[in-house]
Amino acid sequence: MRFMDIVKEYLINSTFHGVKFIADDSYHASERIFWIVCVIISWVGSAFLIDASLEAFQTSAISFVVETSYRDWNTRFPSIVVCEMRNMERIQAIADKLWGEDHDFAMEEVLNEIGYFRGESYHTVNECAGEDMAENCFFDNFTAYADLVRSACAETLEDCYWNDKPFDCCRYFQPMETELGLCYAVNSLQTSAKHPIKLNMISNKHTGPGKLTITVLTEAYVYTIGEEEVPNLITPKSDVLLVDHYIAYKRHISIKDIENDPEAKQVSVSQRKCRFPDENNLNVHRYYSYSACSVQCRKDKQLKICNCTSHLMPNTDPYLKCNMSGLICLNEHYEDLTIVIPKWSVGRRGVVCDCLPSCTEVDIGIVHDSRESIFDSDRRYSTIEIQLSALPTERYKRNVVRGRLDLVGKFK
């Protein structure tokens, strides 16, 4: 049997619409030409429809809606992170212990910069990098000096309350390594603990808006962030309270959560344009978030420019951390390593971070801030009260409108 006979037999017995009329010799030539045109047009049209469906599947698989059935929700209180900002009394005591009471007091400023490193090190470079160096300069192992300077949890926090019920501060505020140094966080995914203990900080129609009250014993930054987020050099100022002694701070916040369709994880990262915390592609933190990704960007840029990283960079091998020459390099390239710029920005100094948002990112707004003076001559402390101003009345919902089964169903 010739090849054309095989093709003709296949077309006659095929279930494709119209093709059997093309191969059937009993039809007039004009009819067969008509069916050839119809089949070609239908196949071309189908190709366009398939291409459009694939394009929609790739680019429009997700939709956002706003839900308002708020009476049925459990709203999780955001993670609260306390990072010591300064403790000159402790620095003075450490300096006395290291170098004696008659030490060069400029070295206290050096210890302060090393312990609470923020990307710049003016005093360190001035005192320990020129020809006329201070007597007690140190040139490496900066992480050990930072650990000496930073206060322990018991020296940072006390008197913690959730909805006016006391709880053990240092049991629930667990250590968290950040690029700002050691912090203490409650209900964060990013703490250093292998089995983190969570405090049941839920607000709903039965409990009412939640309230957290803590006493802070040092000057500190207090961050109000999502459970997967981390404090970092570019955290928006609105998310941070600068806490000083003898002040009672009150902050009222609003929260909008994102609820994800159960099928959202089956959609690729490029389609949904976000990452879930457990879809981590970073090495600085255990879980993915936009802020953790920005820390990774800075680490990579530091390694590229200075061949070392900040001594406070989390989850970094000791041999990669900067010595004095590296610290001088970080200081010289402060703007290049700290300021985040978009990738289309040309000619500006900074770090390009093409980071996706977290799929569970929470929208936290500041409703009202207030502060009052505390008059207590016996000790130095501050109190912080962070409270939901009201139960959320809406939240975002990420729905899958074009899943894999929908795509298969279209072509079935």
Side-chain angles (χ1 to χ4, degrees), residues 64-65 67 73-78 203 254-260 359-364 392 394-398:
F64 272 96
V65 296
E67 288 188 328
W73 299 340
N74 283 329
T75 300
R76 290 176 296 180
F77 204 74
S203 299
S254 62
I255 293 178
K256 288 184 182 179
D257 285 326
I258 294 181
E259 179 73 11
N260 289 285
C359 293
T360 58
E361 202 168 66
V362 60
D363 183 9
I364 302 171
E394 60 184 28
R395 68 177 176 183
Y396 303 115
K397 180 71 180 291
R398 181 182 281 107

Side-chain angles (χ1 to χ4, degrees), residues 333-362:
H333 295 89
Y334 172 74
E335 290 187 14
D336 296 318
L337 297 170
T338 305
I339 301 171
V340 175
I341 60 174
K343 60 183 177 181
W344 60 83
S345 182
V346 180
R348 290 179 57 193
R349 300 177 67 183
V351 183
V352 175
C353 281
D354 192 16
C355 292
L356 292 172
S358 167
C359 293
T360 58
E361 202 168 66
V362 60

Side-chain angles (χ1 to χ4, degrees), residues 81-88 90 115-116 118 146 148-152 155-156 180-184 216-223:
V81 186
V82 180
C83 299
E84 189 175 40
M85 176 173 58
R86 189 186 303 111
N87 190 340
M88 293 309 296
R90 183 176 177 84
Y116 306 100
R118 296 291 184 273
L148 284 175
V149 168
R150 304 297 284 241
S151 299
E155 299 167 327
T156 305
L180 306 177
L182 185 64
C183 301
Y184 300 98
V216 179
L217 305 177
T218 66
E219 297 173 74
Y221 299 105
V222 177
Y223 295 82

Side-chain angles (χ1 to χ4, degrees), residues 227-243:
E227 66 176 5
E228 75 279 6
E229 301 293 341
V230 294
N232 63 92
L233 291 172
I234 60 167
T235 301
K237 291 184 178 180
S238 60
D239 294 344
V240 188
L241 270 175
L242 273 65
V243 176

Side-chain angles (χ1 to χ4, degrees), residues 52-317:
S53 296
L54 287 171
E55 178 70 16
F57 174 71
Q58 290 295 332
T59 61
S60 305
I62 298 292
S63 74
F64 272 96
V65 296
V66 177
E67 288 188 328
T68 56
S69 54
Y70 63 93
R71 293 179 62 84
D72 301 326
W73 299 340
N74 283 329
T75 300
R76 290 176 296 180
F77 204 74
S79 177
I80 306 299
V81 186
V82 180
C83 299
E84 189 175 40
M85 176 173 58
R86 189 186 303 111
N87 190 340
M88 293 309 296
E89 283 189 357
R90 183 176 177 84
I91 287 173
Q92 183 179 356
I94 295 296
D96 289 344
K97 185 177 179 180
L98 290 173
W99 305 303
E101 295 184 1
D102 295 330
H103 63 268
D104 185 348
F105 292 106
M107 291 304 297
E108 293 183 11
E109 291 297 338
V110 173
L111 273 180
N112 183 53
E113 283 185 343
I114 295 297
Y116 306 100
F117 186 67
R118 296 291 184 273
E120 289 184 295
S121 47
Y122 171 80
H123 291 285
T124 306
V125 172
N126 191 51
E127 296 295 331
C128 298
E131 294 182 1
D132 187 18
M133 290 188 296
E135 179 183 355
N136 298 312
C137 282
F138 47 93
F139 303 97
D140 55 17
N141 202 19
F142 297 132
T143 305
Y145 287 94
D147 292 341
L148 284 175
V149 168
R150 304 297 284 241
S151 299
C153 177
E155 299 167 327
T156 305
L157 296 168
E158 69 177 19
D159 298 337
C160 298
Y161 297 86
W162 170 250
N163 287 340
D164 297 323
K165 295 180 179 179
F167 65 90
D168 186 341
C169 294
C170 293
R171 185 182 181 205
Y172 292 98
F173 275 90
Q174 299 182 322
M176 173 193 287
E177 291 186 13
T178 74
E179 67 172 342
L180 306 177
L182 185 64
C183 301
Y184 300 98
V186 63
N187 283 14
S188 172
L189 294 176
Q190 306 282 18
T191 59
S192 306
K194 292 183 179 179
H195 304 288
I197 301 173
K198 292 290 188 77
L199 184 64
N200 186 24
M201 298 166 67
I202 296 295
S203 299
N204 53 36
K205 62 183 178 181
H206 303 293
T207 65
K211 179 177 69 174
L212 179 72
T213 307
I214 57 176
T215 298
V216 179
L217 305 177
T218 66
E219 297 173 74
Y221 299 105
V222 177
Y223 295 82
T224 308
I225 54 180
E227 66 176 5
E228 75 279 6
E229 301 293 341
V230 294
N232 63 92
L233 291 172
I234 60 167
T235 301
K237 291 184 178 180
S238 60
D239 294 344
V240 188
L241 270 175
L242 273 65
V243 176
D244 207 346
H245 296 301
Y246 305 117
I247 304 291
Y249 298 86
K250 290 186 179 181
R251 168 166 283 189
H252 289 250
I253 62 173
S254 62
I255 293 178
K256 288 184 182 179
D257 285 326
I258 294 181
E259 179 73 11
N260 289 285
D261 190 312
E263 294 183 6
K265 274 205 167 185
Q266 299 176 14
V267 178
S268 69
V269 172
S270 60
Q271 288 175 276
R272 58 177 131 92
K273 297 179 176 61
C274 68
R275 284 184 179 273
F276 284 95
D278 58 357
E279 296 175 331
N280 192 24
N281 60 348
L282 315 173
N283 58 45
V284 288
H285 289 284
R286 286 192 297 174
Y287 295 94
Y288 182 87
S289 66
Y290 179 84
S291 55
C293 181
S294 73
V295 175
Q296 184 72 53
C297 284
R298 273 187 294 285
K299 178 180 179 179
D300 295 341
K301 190 71 177 284
Q302 288 173 1
L303 288 170
K304 182 179 179 180
I305 294 178
C306 298
N307 203 30
C308 64
T309 72
S310 159
H311 56 278
L312 298 182
M313 187 63 67
N315 198 26
T316 300
D317 291 328

